[in-house]
Amino acid sequence: MDDLELEDIALALVAPSKGILAADESTGTIKKRFDTINTVSTADSRRDYRELLFSAKGVGDYISGAILYDETLRQTAKDGRPLVRLMMDQGIIPGIKVDTGAKPLAFADGELVTEGLDGLRDRLNEYRQLGARFAKWRAVISIGNGNPSEYCINVNAHALARYAALCQEAGLVPIVEPEVLMDGDHDIDECYAVTETALKTVFDELYKQRVVLEQMLLKPNMVISGTDCPVQADVEEVASKTMYCFEQTVPAAVPGIVFLSGGQSEKQATEHLNAMNQMGKHPWEISYSFGRALQASALATWQGKAENVSAAQAAFLHRAKLTSAARDGEYSTDME
Ligand code: 13P
């Protein structure tokens, strides 16, 4: 795969009106989601749920790519087609989560470092053969109790850059995800300061490790008040502080910024995305890579029951349509 192709994939993922569906919940995380609808998590129920999402008719109008977990990339739909083929038939580019999770960081109380670099080159080559064209690695940074430490930010940034370089070498577009968590009672300015430091450190490492900025996407948190902060910043403040933070830290050569939703409600995440796009033209495309904020209604409607599949697909399509409108700055709450 030549250079142009990776740039084309990155641009296709942030095409107008489109964004990414994060459906890469690990087996542990999807179990937690299924617990909320009293559904047993098995390889088959996980397959049924993902098939429901990818086969919703017309979803390719709003979803450019979907991030999968290893198991899903290898599963087949009920009609025997690989799920990857079913996605591609809807115009959705397959992506793959390649980190193996955030684990306790040595000598850093309560902080995490993301693992998965050992053997990554071989895994990336296999994933590409299985149809993946982009990848994701999530680093987790939490605020509170004097954290994050510089140590935690540095080791996570170093690992993100090692992953990103390996992806580009293997012909996959890396999505670089340094997530500053919403959990805590910190205010929006503290989130701003930590996000700014994390992004500066990440781009410094990407530069040192020769990552080509045109061939990657950034998946960050929004700059937002901590969930338990007594004073919650409004939509305009979130949008303006988030964009200002990125203007200070994200080079214009990066084609797109695709936000995670991070525990925001569907409506909240959509309103924030919309406000950022309504601010006018930015150096990068401003789009989405939502998990919960695209799936919450669909999951609640499905309830693990075959008879609810059509209704769940309708709920998913509705949410995807509104999120797509926000990606273009054309959403309003009366569309809900
Ligand atoms: P949320 O949008 O639910 O945060 O999930 C996105 C994601 O992929 C986190 O890694």
Side-chain angles (χ1 to χ4, degrees):
M1 178 178 271
D2 60 25
D3 285 358
L4 193 67
E5 264 186 274
L6 280 187
E7 286 167 31
D8 286 344
I9 292 163
L11 287 170
L13 288 169
V14 291
S17 311
K18 291 190 187 181
I20 296 169
L21 166 69
D24 60 326
E25 298 85 359
S26 63
T27 307
T29 302
I30 198 75
K31 181 183 179 309
K32 280 191 230 154
R33 305 272 189 272
F34 280 13
D35 284 348
T36 66
I37 56 164
N38 297 315
T39 296
V40 181
S41 177
T42 64
D44 279 350
S45 65
R46 294 191 289 270
R47 189 275 314 272
D48 289 348
Y49 176 60
R50 268 72 183 246
E51 180 173 347
L52 173 168
L53 297 175
F54 307 146
S55 63
K57 208 164 177 301
V59 75
D61 292 345
Y62 315 116
I63 302 296
S64 54
I67 315 171
L68 310 180
Y69 188 58
D70 180 281
E71 175 187 75
T72 318
L73 191 69
R74 303 170 193 280
Q75 281 179 318
T76 49
K78 284 205 208 65
D79 67 6
R81 266 185 302 169
L83 284 181
V84 168
R85 165 64 32 214
L86 191 149
M87 291 168 64
M88 293 191 325
D89 289 349
Q90 292 249 59
I92 301 171
I93 304 170
I96 179 77
K97 183 223 296 289
V98 302
D99 67 68
T100 55
K103 309 284 162 55
L105 176 63
F107 299 125
D109 198 18
E111 296 197 287
L112 302 171
V113 62
T114 301
E115 296 188 347
L117 288 169
D118 287 354
L120 183 57
R121 178 180 273 124
D122 292 340
R123 287 200 292 129
L124 293 174
N125 288 333
E126 190 202 1
Y127 287 143
R128 196 169 186 288
Q129 275 172 6
L130 287 168
R133 288 295 175 269
F134 69 102
K136 177 189 116 170
W137 178 290
R138 172 176 177 255
V140 181
I141 295 153
S142 56
I143 301 179
N145 301 322
N147 289 333
S149 64
E150 193 183 342
Y151 164 41
C152 171
I153 290 177
N154 285 346
V155 293
N156 275 295
H158 190 267
L160 273 167
R162 282 195 63 195
Y163 139 82
L166 283 164
C167 281
Q168 291 182 341
E169 188 192 76
L172 293 161
V173 169
I175 295 191
V176 173
E177 180 177 4
E179 176 175 6
V180 178
L181 296 179
M182 284 169 67
D183 305 316
D185 61 3
H186 56 276
D187 65 12
I188 186 170
D189 292 326
E190 200 167 344
C191 178
Y192 180 102
V194 173
T195 304
E196 182 181 56
T197 305
L199 290 174
K200 276 191 188 295
T201 310
V202 166
F203 279 99
D204 186 44
E205 281 296 339
L206 292 171
Y207 174 71
K208 285 178 182 153
Q209 299 190 42
R210 308 176 183 178
V211 173
V212 183
L213 298 180
E214 289 84 349
Q215 299 175 358
M216 62 161 276
L217 294 172
L218 177 70
K219 175 165 175 167
N221 53 285
M222 297 179 193
V223 173
I224 193 168
S225 316
T227 317
D228 300 324
C229 180
V231 185
Q232 292 287 313
D234 64 14
V235 173
E236 290 316 312
E237 189 175 0
V238 169
S240 61
K241 287 191 170 163
T242 303
M243 286 297 97
Y244 188 75
C245 185
F246 295 155
E247 283 161 15
Q248 304 304 313
T249 53
V250 184
V254 173
I257 294 176
V258 290
F259 286 101
L260 58 94
S261 58
Q264 298 179 57
S265 70
E266 292 176 321
K267 183 160 172 274
Q268 207 183 11
T270 309
E271 286 187 293
H272 289 149
L273 179 66
N274 188 57
M276 286 185 267
N277 277 304
Q278 280 190 342
M279 288 168 71
K281 193 94 189 94
H282 300 289
W284 344 261
E285 297 297 331
I286 295 294
S287 187
Y288 50 92
S289 176
F290 292 166
R292 285 161 285 180
L294 274 169
Q295 295 183 50
S297 296
L299 190 69
T301 307
W302 179 49
Q303 293 289 321
K305 297 192 170 75
E307 63 266 31
N308 295 337
V309 165
S310 304
Q313 287 181 321
F316 177 50
L317 272 177
H318 179 66
R319 199 67 240 160
K321 191 175 175 179
L322 300 195
T323 313
S324 155
R327 185 252 172 280
D328 294 337
E330 287 167 6
Y331 162 84
S332 63
T333 48
D334 56 21
M335 294 161 76
E336 290 284 340

